[in-house]
Amino acid sequence: MSRILVTGGAGFIGSHTCVALDEAGYEYVVVDDYSNSKPEVINRLNKITNKDIISYDINCCDKDKLRKVFEENDIDAVIHFAGFKAVGESVSIPVDYYRNNLDSLLTVVELMREFKINKLIFSSSATVYGNSKDVPFTEESPLGTCTNPYGWTKWMIEQILTDLAKAYPEMNVVLLRYFNPVGAHKSGLIGEDPQGIPNNLFPNVARAADGRMKELKVFGADYDTPDGTCIRDYIHVCDLAEGHVKALDYLATKNGGRFVFNLGTGHGYSVFEVIKAFSKACGHEVPNVVMPRRPGDIPVCYAGTEKSLRELGFVANRGIDEMCEDTWRWQTNNPNGYDDAIL
């Protein structure tokens, strides 16, 4: 049976997508070098799916090793998650980000061409929209105003894949632009395990809730929003994962082309709304303190979702309460992520 190759399949979004693929009846194989994840994720996926998942410990930049995956499996399509992803780190070590993220994509594409595989879904990001204030962001919004090397790698890869689809009419390429993935699988077995100090709101709210942080720092409460704090489009990672299945089904109806979709909820939640919902989920107030604004933060960012609804039939069904409850369950079961689980 043909399989879907999931590069970076042990990562936060990749692992949840594997579960969604399994639920939809797809066979798949995981490639990950565990630079942003842990081998324990594969054990957890085996428990959730009740299967022994085929996985390879390979860096996608290593063409010879990756070629063996293509030789040993009948690959029908590729979902490409593999890549470095920390915004702050990308500013500190930009060359590493450009080398790894671009090389891994180019290596995968070259092998797809070699093995005559024509369906690719790329894990892109709303960072390609930059700091535009033109909300909601639609798939036609201006690009190319990225604010960090991580965002630029996403933008560059989108351009590479756009050129690829033009050069080879048989190629089917879907670019999925995520907004802010949060939450975790209901089982509490897999979730977000950020390496180092997380930049994103949800992991920090969880750390403030369980006492690992004294208080959550709220950067700015004087924005032109209803409660003064920034508003972002948070999407449950399980909804996001199901969006990839919708994209695979969509590609099955196409005979070539480049297609782009936002994956978000279409509305935003403020920082204070997230804190309130998380306080409800964990059963006590999350301590927080208001700090000065951070440079570069825009007041409001959320997705235009009409195209993904119309063409993919995609709707994000899980709300802020479920996002917080599932994050807290994961955090409670895995206080130190995959390193020190109490399951």
Side-chain angles (χ1 to χ4, degrees):
M1 178 180 287
S2 62
R3 295 189 173 103
I4 311 302
L5 171 59
V6 185
T7 69
F12 176 43
I13 303 170
S15 60
H16 288 80
T17 299
C18 287
V19 174
L21 289 171
D22 181 77
E23 291 173 347
Y26 282 98
E27 297 285 332
Y28 58 93
V29 55
V30 171
V31 168
D32 205 302
D33 68 353
Y34 306 111
S35 58
N36 282 325
S37 58
K38 300 288 174 57
E40 172 63 19
V41 176
I42 302 300
N43 297 330
R44 304 295 184 87
L45 288 175
N46 289 340
K47 289 181 182 179
I48 293 170
T49 64
N50 197 31
K51 295 176 182 175
D52 289 327
I53 292 167
I54 299 171
S55 63
Y56 294 80
D57 182 353
I58 293 174
N59 185 308
C60 286
C61 298
D62 190 327
K63 192 171 188 178
D64 289 338
K65 289 184 179 179
L66 192 59
R67 180 181 282 108
K68 293 181 181 179
V69 178
F70 284 80
E71 290 172 345
E72 294 173 3
N73 298 274
D74 180 16
I75 303 298
D76 179 61
V78 177
I79 305 179
H80 185 62
F81 294 105
F84 295 160
K85 62 176 185 176
V87 170
E89 183 182 64
S90 77
V91 176
S92 302
I93 51 171
V95 173
D96 298 52
Y97 269 69
Y98 288 117
R99 170 67 72 185
N100 180 77
N101 292 6
L102 297 180
D103 269 8
S104 61
L105 180 278
L106 290 168
T107 302
V108 167
V109 167
E110 286 171 351
L111 288 169
M112 288 180 66
R113 296 290 303 156
E114 183 178 326
F115 286 84
K116 298 181 172 54
I117 298 162
N118 296 322
K119 294 195 282 287
L120 172 65
I121 296 172
F122 173 60
S123 165
S124 193
S125 166
T127 57
V128 298
Y129 296 122
N131 275 353
S132 170
K133 296 178 176 61
D134 183 23
V135 292
F137 293 124
T138 71
E139 290 82 356
E140 287 74 41
S141 293
L143 308 179
T145 57
C146 304
T147 59
N148 55 77
Y150 163 76
W152 281 115
T153 66
K154 294 294 189 183
W155 181 86
M156 290 176 181
I157 290 172
E158 284 203 10
Q159 186 61 51
I160 290 168
L161 294 177
T162 299
D163 293 338
L164 179 79
K166 289 179 181 176
Y168 306 109
E170 71 276 13
M171 283 297 298
N172 291 277
V173 174
V174 170
L175 311 176
L176 296 180
R177 294 174 182 160
Y178 313 153
F179 279 68
N180 295 271
V182 298
H185 190 261
K186 282 286 184 208
S187 65
L189 286 167
I190 56 174
E192 187 172 14
D193 184 15
Q195 310 299 303
I197 300 172
N199 289 323
N200 300 332
L201 177 61
F202 263 69
N204 282 320
V205 174
R207 291 179 181 210
D210 73 5
R212 282 186 294 162
M213 287 173 48
K214 178 183 175 183
E215 57 199 4
L216 175 72
K217 292 179 179 179
V218 178
F219 294 102
D222 57 351
Y223 287 96
D224 185 18
T225 60
D227 65 17
T229 62
C230 289
I231 292 173
R232 295 292 182 267
D233 189 339
Y234 298 100
I235 178 172
H236 198 294
V237 66
C238 291
D239 280 327
L240 190 66
E242 290 164 8
H244 292 75
V245 175
K246 295 279 190 182
L248 268 181
D249 294 342
Y250 179 82
L251 282 186
T253 69
K254 300 298 177 182
N255 293 312
R258 172 260 198 199
F259 313 96
V260 56
F261 300 101
N262 286 337
L263 291 184
T265 65
H267 61 272
Y269 301 100
S270 75
V271 176
F272 282 154
E273 285 177 317
V274 171
I275 292 172
K276 181 179 179 181
F278 212 97
S279 296
K280 177 183 175 184
C282 71
H284 61 266
E285 292 297 317
V286 176
N288 62 89
V289 59
V290 174
M291 305 291 289
R293 295 184 184 188
R294 289 183 301 196
D297 280 349
I298 58 175
V300 181
C301 173
Y302 62 94
T305 58
E306 291 81 3
K307 185 180 179 184
S308 57
L309 172 61
R310 182 178 68 250
E311 297 191 29
L312 295 183
F314 174 76
V315 178
N317 293 308
R318 298 163 176 88
I320 188 66
D321 287 340
E322 193 167 356
M323 296 177 201
C324 292
E325 290 164 5
D326 292 344
T327 300
W328 183 241
R329 183 182 305 107
W330 156 255
Q331 180 66 40
T332 303
N333 287 348
N334 306 269
N336 295 299
Y338 292 107
D339 285 336
D340 188 21
I342 60 173
L343 295 172

